[in-house]
Amino acid sequence: MLLNEEVQLLRKVPYFCRVDPCKLKLLAFTSDRVCYEPGQYLFTQGDDSEAAYVILCGKVDLLTDSSNGEVKIGEAGCNSIIGEMCLLSNASQAVTARATTEVDALRITKDAFFKVIADNPRISMEISRTLAETIRGSRLSDMQHEKQHA
C-alpha cells in the first residue's frame, strides 16, 4: 500500500480526521504495516503497552480474562484504533485483542504516537473529544440499562 493511501485511511480514524496530512504522512511512514490471520493475537491482557493499532481492514475481538476463560467485551473493525488508551495512561494492556478475520493494521509505536501528539496539539484535542463522547455514550447506555431493570 502506498504512503498516501495509508494517510487517507488514517484520516478516517476519529483521532486523526482533522490532522494535517503532512503529520499523518510522518505517522504512516514511522508505523509498521502488520497482518494477522484469524486467531492470532495483536496483544494480550497484561502485556506492556508498546503500540497502538489502527485497523485498516478486518475484525478484532476484544476479550478479558475471567474465571470462565476469555470473555468477549467488544470488537474493533475498519478505521478504529486499539491499544491507545493504555499508551496514554502508561498502563499494561487492559484487554486481549485477537483477530477474528484476516486483519491489516498499522502498528504505531509509543514513541511515534507521542511524537505526533507533541507536534500536533489538535490530536490531543481530538483524543480528549473522542474520549469524552465515548464516556458520555457509555454513561447514557448504563442509565438506560438501569431504567430497564428498575
Side-chain angles (χ1 to χ4, degrees):
M1 181 175 287
L2 298 175
L3 194 58
N4 287 334
E5 291 174 349
E6 289 179 349
V7 168
Q8 291 307 313
L9 291 169
L10 283 171
R11 291 185 68 81
K12 294 178 182 179
V13 176
Y15 291 165
F16 306 129
C17 65
R18 294 184 183 95
V19 175
D20 181 317
C22 292
K23 301 288 185 185
L24 289 180
K25 191 174 274 191
L26 175 63
L27 183 61
F29 182 74
T30 59
S31 300
D32 296 319
R33 184 73 182 265
V34 291
C35 300
Y36 296 91
E37 296 295 322
Q40 285 188 300
Y41 292 88
L42 285 71
F43 52 82
T44 57
Q45 188 171 343
D47 285 353
D48 288 340
S49 296
E50 298 174 354
Y53 296 80
V54 174
I55 308 302
L56 302 175
C57 70
K59 195 183 301 185
V60 175
D61 279 345
L62 303 175
L63 311 158
T64 189
D65 293 333
S66 78
S67 58
N68 297 330
E70 291 180 332
V71 176
K72 181 177 173 178
I73 58 170
E75 63 184 32
C78 194
N79 303 325
S80 60
I81 185 169
I82 58 174
E84 80 287 5
M85 292 300 116
C86 293
L87 280 184
L88 291 168
S89 63
N90 201 28
S92 59
Q93 292 295 348
V95 298
T96 293
R98 183 178 62 212
T100 54
T101 65
E102 289 185 3
V103 171
D104 288 333
L106 282 180
R107 184 180 186 275
I108 305 170
T109 65
K110 185 184 290 192
D111 290 341
F113 192 70
F114 283 119
K115 176 150 182 43
V116 170
I117 289 172
D119 290 346
N120 192 341
R122 173 158 251 166
I123 290 179
S124 296
M125 290 174 43
E126 291 301 321
I127 290 170
S128 297
R129 183 186 60 75
T130 303
L131 283 173
E133 288 174 359
T134 301
I135 291 168
R136 183 175 183 274
S138 176
R139 286 186 180 161
L140 289 174
S141 176
D142 288 347
M143 289 177 5
Q144 289 172 345
H145 183 68
E146 287 174 12
K147 280 184 181 179
Q148 291 174 350
H149 292 90

